[in-house]
Amino acid sequence: MDFSRFDNHFGEVDLEIERLLSGEPEKLYKAARHITFAGGKKIRPLLCMLSCEALNCDKKDAVKTGAAIEMIHTFTLVHDDIMDRDSLRRGVPSVHEEFGETTAILAGDLLFSKVFEVSDTRAVGILAHAAAEICEGQEMDMEFEERDDVPESEYLLMIRKKTAVLLEAATKAGAILGNGSEGQVSSLAKFGLSLGMAFQIHDDILGVTADEEKLGKPVGSDIVEGKKNLIMIKAKELLQGDERDEFTRILGNGKESDIERGIELIKNSGALEYCMEKEKDFMDDATNSLKDLPDTEAKKSLLELANFVIRRDS
Amino acid sequence: MDFSRFDNHFGEVDLEIERLLSGEPEKLYKAARHITFAGGKKIRPLLCMLSCEALNCDKKDAVKTGAAIEMIHTFTLVHDDIMDRDSLRRGVPSVHEEFGETTAILAGDLLFSKVFEVSDTRAVGILAHAAAEICEGQEMDMEFEERDDVPESEYLLMIRKKTAVLLEAATKAGAILGNGSEGQVSSLAKFGLSLGMAFQIHDDILGVTADEEKLGKPVGSDIVEGKKNLIMIKAKELLQGDERDEFTRILGNGKESDIERGIELIKNSGALEYCMEKEKDFMDDATNSLKDLPDTEAKKSLLELANFVIRRDS
């Protein structure tokens, strides 16, 4: 997908964030800017602005709130990296790696404060509620690591909170700022939520099937690290007898040499097909939820963006 | 001061916070509630409600925003304790000590999210701005620890951000919710800010002069821990010759056995008198800023509360 036609959208959001993240003490603001401007696709503010435009309003009404949503995303990345001890993010050292943990905690808090300084008043409740759910989702994710079995339903609830609600907040807030009717707000919210679910499941699939160089991290590492995701849960459920025992032994055993066999077992199990089917279901939900909206350039872009999400290879 | 006549105020704020901090995952919500209900004077929500009442409005209009302000305070305590490696808070283990660091980071983030779920829309900008300034103040405070000399003006800016702006936000928000005129909002904001400055300077004084049992922590420990506060800054400035050299050697040297001599030098220097004078100046500013408000029970309580702040012995 060619994102260059959205350069103007991204430019306005960047300007807004730059303005918000100028201040003192210098070290703190530098830390807050560090991964903000180290790349990242800025899909969330784009969803917010396009949702506003899909209701024939000007994107400028959604720039500040789009910036706010991107800062929620960045704030969670900064704190998640501390919790997960991840030392790299977007190809650069993570904030705590570069500035120390205390400044990283504060930089996250500062980003979060700025969210509510800039967001349109009408979106504050939506954003705050999404942020609380993201915290719940992250806690669930961490608790999953210490459990042997996680049912699919709990996993889907976790990714809904951790990932999908912020995309939902983006499209919903955009629709509200675009003065949408109740039905339109609910349609666009549904679009964001379903897209978010598909987005996360696609990530899980990529973690096993992607080209390692394009993905930028080791393929299959989730298996031996004991991460619970839909593929692992489903593979464990579908495998039988010896293969199931073998897979259970490999899960979370930390042995890199077992990754290849783990991937093979997943492929044998049919779990990949199951996840792709699930992804397609969410994608269909997303697409369907826009069917009553007027045909606009923005709606076309939203559908194209959705398609990109499930076709990307990294 | 007898706080029991505010039992109804505190009760309503507690109810609101309890309602907000009920949810799942259980561990996360338990962590968020942990120090919230382990005591603490809840002076900030009280300031918010009394400011509203001082303008002849009902305190119920300020309960939710008062609860929000208390949660900002709690959230900063949770994260500060992680940064400062403090294992005790309000007489119980700090959140990271009891629930682990990752859950403590998230519990702080959850508290912060809830702030903006509950705050009155009219107060969101004030609260968000105060929160950003608290982050700046905490970063300044941490950076001071690595510096030899901190000018008084920088120290005052730091405590303004780290402590006083939240009391200012409390009284200002209360005044706005009480439909105050521009002048009334500004008077009550000024009251909160000046009170906050006096409050922090009083804390600094207590750190050297208090009765150890009442204070609940070692008196004078700030001296050998190298904390920069107004007393240390002023003592270093006022002492001359050998006494000054001796004091400089003791500052931050970590030797408990030097605390007594450190306190003696501070007392000789005149720094205590200087700080008490400074505290009185801020207190006078606070009192004066209320002079044009109508004489109400709430105004009387605000002045009494201010008096309590500079007379408390712990």
Side-chain angles (χ1 to χ4, degrees), chain B residues 125-158:
Chain B
I126 295 168
L127 268 49
H129 187 67
E133 290 210 276
I134 293 170
C135 295
E136 294 169 5
Q138 169 72 358
E139 175 71 24
M140 287 175 80
D141 197 13
M142 294 191 310
E143 290 181 12
F144 286 176
E145 286 181 34
E146 285 152 33
R147 282 167 57 180
D148 281 338
D149 279 295
V150 175
E152 181 177 331
S153 61
E154 278 191 56
Y155 176 76
L156 292 176
L157 178 64
M158 184 277 280

Side-chain angles (χ1 to χ4, degrees), chain A residues 9-297:
Chain A
H9 289 74
F10 295 132
E12 291 197 29
V13 169
D14 280 347
L15 264 182
E16 192 60 44
I17 297 179
E18 267 171 46
R19 186 183 65 78
L20 286 162
L21 299 185
S22 306
E24 291 184 341
E26 211 192 313
K27 184 182 171 192
L28 177 63
Y29 277 87
K30 216 174 148 187
R33 286 194 303 270
H34 179 63
I35 64 161
T36 305
F37 297 109
K41 285 190 202 75
K42 300 209 165 60
I43 281 178
R44 293 159 191 82
L46 186 56
L47 284 171
C48 183
M49 289 184 275
L50 287 174
S51 297
C52 187
E53 290 178 289
L55 302 174
N56 292 311
C57 283
D58 195 293
K59 72 169 182 300
K60 77 171 179 345
D61 297 328
V63 169
K64 282 175 189 286
T65 301
I69 291 168
E70 182 64 16
M71 286 193 297
I72 292 185
H73 178 55
T74 315
F75 135 71
T76 63
L77 296 181
V78 173
H79 281 187
D80 283 6
D81 284 345
I82 300 172
M83 297 181 221
D84 298 340
R85 309 266 155 227
D86 280 332
S87 53
L88 270 180
R89 171 68 69 178
R90 296 178 172 168
V92 296
S94 50
V95 179
H96 64 96
E97 192 73 15
E98 184 78 17
F99 295 90
E101 190 177 313
T102 54
T103 298
I105 294 177
L106 276 179
D109 294 344
L110 181 71
L111 284 161
F112 200 15
S113 308
K114 297 287 177 178
V115 167
F116 298 100
E117 275 197 63
V118 71
S119 165
D120 189 288
T121 314
R122 290 170 287 172
V124 164
I126 296 168
L127 268 51
H129 188 68
E133 289 210 275
I134 293 170
C135 295
E136 293 169 6
Q138 168 72 358
E139 175 70 25
M140 287 175 80
D141 197 13
M142 293 192 309
E143 290 181 14
F144 286 176
E145 286 181 33
E146 284 151 34
R147 282 168 57 181
D148 281 338
D149 280 296
V150 175
E152 182 176 330
S153 60
E154 278 191 56
Y155 177 75
L156 292 176
L157 179 63
M158 184 277 282
I159 63 170
R160 180 189 168 114
K161 286 175 182 281
K162 190 171 165 174
T163 303
V165 292
L166 192 55
L167 278 75
E168 179 189 27
T171 51
K172 188 175 179 183
I176 287 172
L177 300 179
N179 301 311
S181 67
E182 212 174 299
Q184 289 171 327
V185 170
S186 140
S187 296
L188 278 157
K190 180 85 191 294
F191 173 78
L193 187 69
S194 303
L195 177 62
M197 296 299 286
F199 183 89
Q200 186 56 53
I201 292 174
H202 194 74
D203 248 21
D204 294 354
I205 295 171
L206 282 177
V208 173
T209 63
D211 180 296
E212 197 150 308
E213 249 176 60
K214 283 189 185 153
L215 193 65
K217 60 178 187 182
V219 166
S221 57
D222 284 357
I223 305 170
V224 295
E225 282 171 13
K227 291 262 168 71
K228 306 289 182 302
N229 70 35
L230 193 54
I231 293 187
M232 315 300 163
I233 291 168
K234 207 64 201 178
K236 206 171 155 185
E237 187 187 313
L238 291 171
L239 288 168
Q240 304 285 335
D242 290 350
E243 283 196 326
R244 184 182 188 157
D245 294 341
E246 192 184 356
F247 190 66
T248 308
R249 272 197 306 277
I250 292 177
L251 281 178
N253 75 357
K255 288 188 196 158
E256 269 186 49
S257 55
D258 280 343
I259 290 181
E260 205 177 326
R261 177 64 181 150
I263 294 177
E264 200 172 66
L265 286 166
I266 287 172
K267 286 184 176 164
N268 293 347
S269 73
L272 273 177
E273 290 73 13
Y274 179 86
C275 291
M276 286 191 245
E277 195 58 41
K278 202 91 195 166
E279 181 185 21
K280 196 179 163 302
D281 289 348
F282 282 117
M283 218 52 215
D284 289 344
D285 284 348
T287 311
N288 283 332
S289 60
L290 294 193
K291 67 179 190 306
D292 291 335
L293 287 189
D295 287 315
T296 57
E297 270 305 304

Side-chain angles (χ1 to χ4, degrees), chain B residues 17 20-21 67-75 111 114-115 118:
Chain B
I17 296 179
L20 286 162
L21 298 185
I69 291 167
E70 183 64 16
M71 286 193 297
I72 293 184
H73 178 54
T74 315
F75 134 71
L111 284 161
K114 298 286 178 178
V115 167
V118 70

Side-chain angles (χ1 to χ4, degrees), chain B residues 60-277:
Chain B
K60 76 170 179 344
D61 297 327
V63 169
K64 282 176 190 285
T65 302
I69 291 167
E70 183 64 16
M71 286 193 297
I72 293 184
H73 178 54
T74 315
F75 134 71
T76 62
L77 296 181
V78 173
H79 281 187
D80 282 5
D81 283 345
I82 300 172
M83 297 181 222
D84 298 341
R85 309 266 154 228
D86 280 332
S87 53
L88 271 179
R89 170 68 69 179
R90 295 176 172 170
V92 297
S94 50
V95 179
H96 64 98
E97 192 73 16
E98 184 79 16
F99 296 89
E101 190 176 313
T102 54
T103 298
I105 294 177
L106 275 179
D109 293 344
L110 181 71
L111 284 161
F112 200 16
S113 308
K114 298 286 178 178
V115 167
F116 298 100
E117 274 197 64
V118 70
S119 166
D120 189 288
T121 314
R122 291 170 286 172
V124 164
I126 295 168
L127 268 49
H129 187 67
E133 290 210 276
I134 293 170
C135 295
E136 294 169 5
Q138 169 72 358
E139 175 71 24
M140 287 175 80
D141 197 13
M142 294 191 310
E143 290 181 12
F144 286 176
E145 286 181 34
E146 285 152 33
R147 282 167 57 180
D148 281 338
D149 279 295
V150 175
E152 181 177 331
S153 61
E154 278 191 56
Y155 176 76
L156 292 176
L157 178 64
M158 184 277 280
I159 63 170
R160 180 189 167 113
K161 286 175 182 280
K162 189 170 166 175
T163 304
V165 292
L166 192 56
L167 278 73
E168 179 188 26
T171 51
K172 188 176 179 182
I176 287 172
L177 300 179
N179 301 312
S181 67
E182 211 175 299
Q184 289 171 326
V185 171
S186 139
S187 296
L188 278 157
K190 180 85 191 295
F191 173 78
L193 186 70
S194 303
L195 178 62
M197 296 298 286
F199 183 90
Q200 186 56 52
I201 292 174
H202 194 75
D203 248 22
D204 294 353
I205 295 171
L206 282 176
V208 173
T209 63
D211 180 295
E212 196 150 308
E213 250 177 58
K214 284 189 186 152
L215 193 65
K217 62 178 185 179
V219 167
S221 56
D222 284 357
I223 304 171
V224 294
E225 282 170 13
K227 291 261 170 68
K228 306 289 184 301
N229 70 36
L230 192 55
I231 293 187
M232 315 301 163
I233 291 168
K234 206 64 201 176
K236 206 171 154 186
E237 187 187 312
L238 291 172
L239 288 167
Q240 304 286 334
D242 291 351
E243 284 196 326
R244 184 180 187 160
D245 294 342
E246 192 184 355
F247 189 66
T248 308
R249 273 197 305 278
I250 292 176
L251 281 178
N253 74 358
K255 287 188 195 157
E256 268 186 50
S257 55
D258 281 342
I259 291 181
E260 205 178 325
R261 177 64 182 150
I263 294 177
E264 201 173 63
L265 286 167
I266 287 172
K267 286 183 177 166
N268 293 346
S269 72
L272 273 176
E273 290 73 13
Y274 179 86
C275 291
M276 284 191 247
E277 195 58 40

